[in-house]
Amino acid sequence: MKNLNPQPYKLFNKIQHYDWGTKNNEAIIPRFLGIEPELNTPYAELWIGAHPKASSEIEIKGEKIQLFNLIQQYPLDLLGNYVSQKFSNNFPFLLKVLSAANALSIQTHPNKSQAEELHSADPKNYPDDNHKPEIAIAIDSLIALAGFRPAEEIINNLFTIPEICEFAESEIPQTLLNSSNNQEAENAIRNIYSKLMHRYDDKIKLSSVMKRIKERIEKRYPLSLQDSQFLVQYDLFGNDIGLFSFFFFNIITLKPGEAIFTDAGIPHAYIKGNIIECMANSDNVVRAGLTNKFKDIDTLLGIINYDFSSYKIINPNNINGETVYTTKAEEFEVTNFKITGKFNKSFKNLNKPEIYLIADGALNISWKSGVSTGEQNFNQGESFIIPANLITYEISSLGKVNFYKVTIP
């Protein structure tokens, strides 16, 4: 083919079976896809996009072709002029369904220049040279850690759990408890956190300290969310340096439809829940705990963002069944459509690719573009791409439907 036919293309997507994923009856991804879960197999992520690690596929003339490869063959048809030039013929975003039974690693993401440097210096552990701003939208709920808490909250934890400073071999000045000098407090916290993390290899001391923190917390009543989650993760991970994060980072609970956005340098970890996640097309992670994977403490401390504040939860307005999640990311914008009755709308894509994911219900899409005319139905769990060369199309539904659309701003 000289050109890719302008029409919607169904995507065949890859499942990632990371060990923190949900299993059996709790596994939302198999239920979402309408398949039976394999016994005791974790279903962690469904990848929808063109990342070379697990690219989605498109079927053309009976043959399945990776979207990643197809973009190399038809960059202008799939991406359009603007996206092809801006993102160097790469698909800009990666959409996921993520289902966590247990905590993901304590991590942060490098910015673009840092990602390129890490990839160049250590391609084995950093095989990606792209940054990874991302949004997490709760399907049902999400417990997460994100960003450093306000300084006064961290200081309170340091005084009520003295084992933290003991492990850091650091004394926190008593004057900080009632200090109005935020800069002094924040500098002290940075110093203590850095010392803590640099002692991750002191397994004997770490084991003793973690055990005593556990015993101290078990005597508290009632348990706060940070306390109860510390105990849960202690049972799962044992003497892991990442457990200290519960006393330094904001712990967040998202309700359905609420979201958080994490930019470069923001420390975070998803603890438990089911989300729609969208990010720049990257798998770039700097880890520091709650994982058996490669940890890079020095790099994490070098790029981490020490912004001591409550973390912003995105809870946008639903207008006529549409919820738009606007962030500073240049690679993606997510819109959720929750329609309770009949639905019919015409769309124009401005010569950029778009991806749709159906969470519930069914959609009919019809189009007319030159000699390409047709219609197609898509059901729950299915996704499809609108290539840049399909400029106008119409979507309709006869009943209740819930779907996500990802565009490029």
Side-chain angles (χ1 to χ4, degrees):
M1 292 187 299
K2 291 184 179 179
N3 297 100
L4 188 71
N5 201 34
Q7 67 175 70
Y9 290 91
K10 180 180 177 179
L11 295 171
F12 298 86
N13 307 308
K14 304 292 194 307
I15 297 172
Q16 304 286 9
H17 299 282
Y18 305 135
D19 58 6
W20 46 260
T22 53
K23 301 177 183 178
N24 305 323
N25 292 334
E26 291 186 1
I28 192 175
I29 291 174
R31 191 161 68 244
F32 178 77
L33 296 174
I35 61 176
E36 284 294 319
E38 295 182 21
L39 186 64
N40 295 326
T41 298
Y43 289 81
E45 296 180 348
L46 180 70
W47 285 32
I48 307 165
H51 194 281
K53 178 180 175 180
S55 176
S56 300
E57 295 176 323
I58 289 174
E59 188 172 325
I60 298 178
K61 295 182 179 179
E63 180 186 0
K64 287 183 179 176
I65 305 170
Q66 286 194 354
L67 179 58
F68 175 80
N69 293 329
L70 204 63
I71 288 169
Q72 312 311 309
Q73 191 174 355
Y74 303 106
L76 293 182
D77 290 338
L78 273 162
L79 301 181
N81 290 315
Y82 169 80
V83 174
S84 293
Q85 292 178 20
K86 184 173 180 63
F87 299 103
S88 304
N89 284 348
N90 291 308
F91 201 76
F93 63 83
L94 177 61
L95 179 65
K96 296 181 182 180
V97 181
L98 183 149
S99 182
N102 301 317
L104 283 66
S105 56
I106 303 295
Q107 60 187 261
T108 191
H109 306 309
N111 62 30
K112 180 63 176 170
S113 62
Q114 291 165 344
E116 291 170 351
E117 291 173 7
L118 288 169
H119 174 68
S120 177
D122 187 0
K124 177 184 176 182
N125 291 306
Y126 298 104
D128 222 309
D129 67 352
N130 199 12
H131 66 165
K132 195 185 176 191
E134 65 186 30
I135 189 170
I137 305 169
I139 296 174
D140 43 24
S141 65
L142 176 69
I143 298 173
L145 296 173
F148 282 90
R149 296 169 181 242
E152 59 269 21
E153 293 183 16
I154 299 174
I155 291 168
N156 182 64
N157 279 334
L158 296 179
F159 276 98
T160 57
I161 307 174
E163 291 84 1
I164 298 173
C165 288
E166 176 191 329
F167 184 72
E169 296 183 335
S170 179
E171 291 186 5
I172 182 167
Q174 291 291 325
T175 55
L176 287 188
L177 190 58
N178 299 308
S179 175
S180 59
N181 187 333
N182 287 339
Q183 191 61 55
E184 182 183 0
E186 291 171 4
N187 288 340
I189 293 167
R190 286 190 187 94
N191 183 51
I192 291 166
Y193 186 74
S194 178
K195 287 182 176 180
L196 273 177
M197 300 305 288
H198 275 124
R199 296 198 65 197
Y200 69 97
D201 268 342
D202 190 347
K203 302 299 184 184
I204 295 175
K205 181 69 172 178
L206 182 61
S207 175
S208 171
V209 164
M210 284 298 177
K211 182 181 178 182
R212 283 187 284 131
I213 291 176
K214 173 180 179 287
E215 291 170 348
R216 178 183 294 276
I217 288 176
E218 285 175 333
K219 295 175 183 176
R220 292 181 169 180
Y221 183 83
L223 291 178
S224 66
L225 184 56
Q226 77 162 21
D227 293 343
S228 60
Q229 280 300 316
F230 174 90
L231 295 177
V232 168
Q233 304 308 324
Y234 179 90
D235 287 342
L236 289 170
F237 292 97
N239 305 311
D240 190 295
I241 197 75
L243 291 172
F244 285 119
S245 299
F246 286 96
F247 308 116
F248 286 85
F249 301 159
N250 292 291
I251 186 161
I252 298 163
T253 302
L254 295 185
K255 300 173 184 174
E258 293 183 335
I260 54 172
F261 175 73
T262 50
D263 206 354
I266 301 296
H268 64 282
Y270 303 141
I271 304 300
K272 184 177 179 63
N274 300 302
I275 62 174
I276 297 294
E277 187 181 25
C278 195
M279 63 205 68
N281 193 16
S282 173
D283 193 34
N284 217 338
V285 178
V286 182
R287 300 179 182 88
L290 303 188
T291 181
N292 295 319
K293 295 181 180 179
F294 173 70
K295 301 182 189 70
D296 192 346
I297 303 295
D298 287 336
T299 296
L300 181 131
L301 292 173
I303 67 174
I304 202 167
N305 184 334
Y306 289 98
D307 181 14
F308 298 89
S309 62
S310 299
Y311 208 76
K312 180 182 178 182
I313 293 177
I314 303 170
N315 190 11
N317 293 328
N318 180 305
I319 301 174
N320 297 325
E322 295 185 27
T323 304
V324 181
Y325 295 88
T326 302
T327 70
K328 63 184 290 187
E330 297 181 336
E331 291 84 358
F332 60 84
E333 183 175 88
V334 181
T335 302
N336 179 217
F337 293 78
K338 281 189 178 179
I339 311 299
T340 56
K342 290 184 178 181
F343 174 73
N344 187 278
K345 185 172 181 177
S346 296
F347 291 88
K348 190 172 183 177
N349 79 6
L350 302 177
N351 197 229
K352 299 176 183 179
E354 302 168 341
I355 281 182
Y356 284 81
L357 172 66
I358 305 173
D360 188 28
L363 292 177
N364 173 272
I365 180 167
S366 58
W367 67 95
K368 186 175 182 179
S369 179
V371 296
S372 177
T373 303
E375 66 175 306
Q376 194 170 352
N377 294 319
F378 293 96
N379 299 310
Q380 177 184 315
E382 294 184 330
S383 58
F384 58 92
I385 185 170
I386 301 291
N389 64 1
L390 180 58
I391 303 301
T392 60
Y393 56 94
E394 189 171 287
I395 288 181
S396 61
S397 172
L398 293 177
K400 180 182 176 183
V401 67
N402 178 13
F403 64 96
Y404 295 85
K405 173 187 177 183
V406 187
T407 57
I408 299 153

